[in-house]
Amino acid sequence: MNGRDLMRAVTEIGTERGRRAWRSALRHRRADAVGLPRRGPERARVPGMLTGTEPTPGGGLLRFARSELLVRVAAGGVVFWSWDGAGAAPSYAVVGEGPEPDPRAVLEPDTGGGWRVVSERVTVAVSRHGAVEVRTPGGVVLRRELPPRWWEPAGAEGGEGAGAGARWAVRAEVPADARFFGLGGRAAGPRLRDGVYRLWNTDPKGGFGPGDDPLYITMPVQMVVADAGTHLVFHDDPWEGRVVIREGEEGAGSGPDRPGTCELRMDGGPLRCWVLVGTPARILQGWSALTGSPAVPPAWALGYQHARWGFGSAEEVRRVVSGYRARGLALSAVHLDIDHYAQHRVFTVDGERFPDLPGLARELREQGVRLVSIVDPAVKVGDPVHAAGRAVGPAGAFVRDARGEEVRGEVWPGECAYPDFTDPAVREWWGGLYAERLAQGFSGVWHDMNEPVSFAPFGDATLPRSARHAMDGAGGDHRSAHNVYALGMARAGWEGLVRLRPAERPFLFSRSGWAGMQRYGGTWSGDVETGWEGLRASLALVLGLGLCGVPYSGPDVGGFGGSPSPELYLRWLQLGAYLPLFRTHSAIWAGRREPWEFGPEVERHAGVVLAERERLRPYFLTLAQLARRTGAPYVRPLWWGAPEDRALRDCEDAFLLGDALLVAPVLEPGADRRAVRLPRGRWYDTATGTAYEGPGQILLDAPPGRIPVLARAGSVLPVRGPEGEAVTLEAWAPARGRTGGGVLIRDPGPGFDPGEVERYAVRWVGDAVVVEGEGGGQVEGVVVRGVGGVSAVGAGGVGGGAEVVARADSAGALGYGPDSVDGVGPA
């Protein structure tokens, strides 16, 4: 028990809920004492010396004295290896059996008595002691994993329990200049500095900031970026673990480099690994193919959404929505938290405060506003949902302990049971329950408390580790099921909603999850603290999750638990407007989040922010469809297109929105200017039209009413036209002698139609900028910007005068000069 646990334990003992939580925590501890025997004596094991090899499709099987290693290279250069016979399936992250082996990959002898698998895009070398190296075709080492080590029970009587397996650890070395990203949602990111990162989905029990770890979504997924190249590594094991990162150091002068290191220690589970190499775009495309394409949210879910724990009644919801309408502020959805339930019980409605919820939903929908419902996994013991769950299958739907008794925990409704989402029959039953939500008029759901949470005054606030789970037929306890629990819940909800309404793609996002969760929707920050550190953590979470393959996410704008100052609220709103999930949310005890609550000046600026989000809605929809096709996140780090640029790798306070926009939020109080690091190429300040030449750093104004947003020269963005509904194109002039382009994917409707990709090119023709469609015809009615520093509307082309370009300097100074053919447009 740490100091934080002690303070909470002392505080909560004085309340009835606190006393129940104490009893629940003690029951869980006793359950583990019975169902989770102590680990006895252990023996360590390493692979030993290589004794033989056997070619297999795409690679080979290498036998060592005390273990065996399977290495396989798949088509596209995706690498898989596993120890001790672990296969690629079954896996909660990987779709099917994974990609097919590359028939051209061959196993051949390497130097020093080792062997290597050679393919077109990657080489995997294995030493005679079991070290594994991932190399470029030119022989440059991207990653070197040293021989693993296992700790196994010395005898059956000292084991951990049936099927637990051995603990294991691997240590990897990467180039000295490498930077680490990923590991799920980390508040201290997006760049992961030296430290220990726990792999155990956790409710931090209150507002969190950059110093809190772990959080709700942890994944053994890393993206490592170095001069030599970029790679993603995924150790496919959902057990609890720890990652120890230490960045490298390049030698001064003739001194040696100290490589970066990453050590992974897991408490059990299979030792199997996937590695993808290439550009960031290629890696995320391969990751999407491996773990599943991201779900595309409905078009309305890409607009601004308002949530609050504590709306209290239907009349309060109407009042808030009317406030937005009266002020002309855009609003797409309202989210109802647990207070709309009857005594917090899932799949119920408080009939007194919401006497006609379907009628309220119809009324709001006529105004263009959808209702979204919270759904928690914990089911109140004794209510009708609990009774129905007990009748599912021979053993019921709920998690049980080693003695076969239902595991009970303390959550908002009181004593609760927990569905076992690793059981297919339970997932099917739970998915059917969403019919009640649809009948109440809800258009989407957000999963909360699904780490899963059981209130506890000490220790981990979750289920006992000895709790038994089906694990889709494999069987296991909570140590193997905990991190994939929310993933199973998301699958149950998604599949249920698809069965219930097959013509509509669901809107679902989840507080917790694991690798592959993008198949079923997105996520949000959870209870980020109200403060400037929480604002910074919001951006870190979205960037890190995107690099782990989860493109749709966003924070609680304004923070969850406090009362932001007008300045902080506005800066948070400005950041949120350029993130995929744009939602305000707050706790029942926190300050309001409606823009007009912060005064007339903030209200006026908020109107501009919300209008700009609406204007960019077609661009967000295009990015969502592209994410489904390519795996590319909407929000990308500045180094996305140039991972070799070290200055960009270390820039954490700005991001790219798609290929076209660079957003530089204000993350510090009192700032009215900020430095912006530019990637290579020409960039236009969208507020002034001034052009800047990167790479380098510039200083831009950031008054209270706006944050710096720059457009890449030569980009074509789909936006809403002045009338609000029609989609039009906005083109930014390329540099002279350069071309550019962009794509548009129109809203295909509520179903699963992927829509058609419309491609456009932009170029100079004489003294005019023209935009052409894929067939070469000139496009009418395009808004062309970046010509003479002013906006202009023309029939596909606009004449231009002399261009003046501000050249970014690495020290932040600016020099001015005439344009030249050396300007760089988009790739």
Side-chain angles (χ1 to χ4, degrees), residues 365-380:
R365 190 158 183 168
E366 290 173 358
Q367 302 173 38
V369 178
R370 312 295 180 111
L371 275 185
V372 177
S373 171
I374 191 173
V375 174
D376 289 353
V379 175
K380 170 71 173 176

Side-chain angles (χ1 to χ4, degrees), residues 10-31:
V10 172
T11 301
E12 292 182 356
I13 193 64
T15 66
E16 178 58 32
R17 173 170 286 148
R19 288 189 288 273
R20 293 198 305 263
W22 263 94
R23 291 193 291 270
S24 174
L26 291 172
R27 284 199 307 270
H28 290 184
R29 180 160 290 190
R30 287 195 295 269

Side-chain angles (χ1 to χ4, degrees), residues 240-256:
E240 181 177 7
R242 282 174 170 78
V243 180
V244 182
I245 287 176
R246 187 184 182 195
E247 292 184 338
E249 184 176 342
E250 293 179 292
S254 60

